[in-house]
Amino acid sequence: MGSGPLTAWREGLAAGDLSAEFLAFAALDRMDRLEGLLNATVHRDREASLRAARAADVRLARGERSPMLGIPVVFKDNLHWQGAPVSNGSRIMGGYRAPYHATVVRRLLEAGAVPVAKANMDEFAMGSSGEYSAFGPTRNPWDPRRVPGGSSSGSVVAVAAGYAPFALGSDTGGSVRLPGSFCNITALRPTYGVLSRYGVTAMASSLDQVGPVAGSAQDLAAGFSVMAGADPLDATSIHLPDAHRLAALRPADLKGLRIGLPREYFTAGIEPGVRAALDAALAVLGAQGAELAEVSLPHTAYAIDTYYLINTSEVSSNLARFDGMRYGARKPADTLQGMIADTRDQGFGPEAKRRILLGAFCLSKGYYDAFYLKALKTRTLIARDFQEAFRRVDLLATPVSPGTAWTFGAKSADPLAMYLADVFTVTPALAALPALSVPAGFAGGMPVGLQLIGPSLRDVQLLEVAHAFQQATAHHRQLPPL
Ligand code: GLN
């Protein structure tokens, strides 16, 4: 128990029962069959995938063994995979193609992973549902009438639907954890800096992290093991202690592990079915020897305001570069000003425009102190809440979301309702902490996620705890009815 498809396939590849080429063919066939329904991918290059698979088979035949050699993978479309388009889920990129690899992509490819697709996403990673892509919404494989969660909608659905056992998304305020919880997938937001952001489209730079997703903690750790750590091309990147424990992840011993339950996260707003699933999951951890204790994170109430002030401010600055001069789409006009205005007006979708306007307002003279600076101060208070809590407990357990996946359109007409869906996921992002979404059961037939939040740089320990939990439970092995 505890392992997932990646681990099983790796064993099959090592034994010679499987070939990388066979796995790549299987992935491509599955996408051919299911993409009409799910719309999780935006780019596939059959020849490039099969070439990479054959190269992996040559390395396998030579006796080479490594955690990702021959394993199909999917990249969110805000990551640079040299030669392939980078759409960011937006029209504004036009035909832009990546001139180089993102460091995380390069490290996976060097380890022998076989890229099979680039994944659909909310435009520029802004969104919580997967509905804000210029290429149409991605559907939830558990119920196609429902959203998969966003913004890494396609990456998570690709794993849930069995296209690939490992995928990369990005997480600025919850974008792998929320879809992970909606689609029964294990999803990590690492400590800020542990994964290089070189070659990742910037959304909100003080928050952005690459997020690995997989069918189990053990599978996730295999891919994470070949990517984690400092990169000279990203000055914010840092070394991950204990990274050597990832490749062959072992379950943590939960005896005496102190798990804090923040009272502000277990509120009346949680759907009863979600609450019941979480209680049962916590009871499993308790039965394995963990000690559960209530803690308080008193500034939680300010998290959404703080996050969206900082996020929109950074978005307005980062997206200024998409002006028709250097990247992709350009709308010709008589004047330079007209060209820039038309390019941005026709290139960006409504959510990107909304954030650019809000962020420009927050940063403008006269409002900077009242909004942006205030948000930075509140961010420090939120981070201090966590530091205080981690004096008493080893990690925290919370819901990922107050509810399960909603039906299409339920929140897309009301931006504020959409923002509120991130209420439990933005806080670790603001505090630069690692946070993991773990399948914890079902409510009304839809998956429920448990969030584990650790102190800075305890990413490996979080995965080891999740691995222990997954040895005692079978939730993560449940597959959607496709
Ligand atoms: N839903 C959040 C937002 O829209 C988080 C997005 C993300 O993590 N990329 O900003």
Side-chain angles (χ1 to χ4, degrees), residues 44 179 197 421:
R44 281 178 264 163
R197 290 177 304 160

Side-chain angles (χ1 to χ4, degrees), residues 151-196:
S151 67
S152 307
S153 45
S155 306
V156 167
V157 169
V159 176
Y163 298 172
F166 183 88
L168 292 181
S170 65
D171 188 307
T172 302
S175 276
V176 293
R177 289 165 286 150
L178 192 67
S181 82
F182 285 2
C183 296
N184 207 43
I185 290 299
T186 306
L188 175 69
R189 175 197 169 82
T191 300
Y192 184 78
V194 159
L195 287 179
S196 167

Side-chain angles (χ1 to χ4, degrees), residues 125-128 151 170-175 203 307-308 311 355 422:
M126 302 171 196
S128 307
S151 67
S170 65
D171 188 307
T172 302
S175 276
M203 196 250 273
Y307 171 83
Y308 276 97
N311 179 290
R355 293 202 194 191
D422 303 330

Side-chain angles (χ1 to χ4, degrees), residues 169 288 313 447 449 461:
Q288 290 179 290
S313 297
Q461 287 80 354

Side-chain angles (χ1 to χ4, degrees), residues 272-329:
V274 170
R275 181 68 207 242
L278 293 173
D279 285 345
L282 293 171
V284 170
L285 290 167
Q288 290 179 290
E291 295 164 13
L292 307 176
E294 191 180 275
V295 295
S296 175
L297 300 171
H299 294 92
T300 300
Y302 307 108
I304 287 286
D305 296 2
T306 304
Y307 171 83
Y308 276 97
L309 287 171
I310 292 173
N311 179 290
T312 54
S313 297
E314 294 186 15
V315 162
S316 75
S317 161
N318 271 328
L319 269 55
R321 73 192 64 174
F322 301 106
D323 55 5
M325 299 294 289
R326 285 161 295 180
Y327 302 97

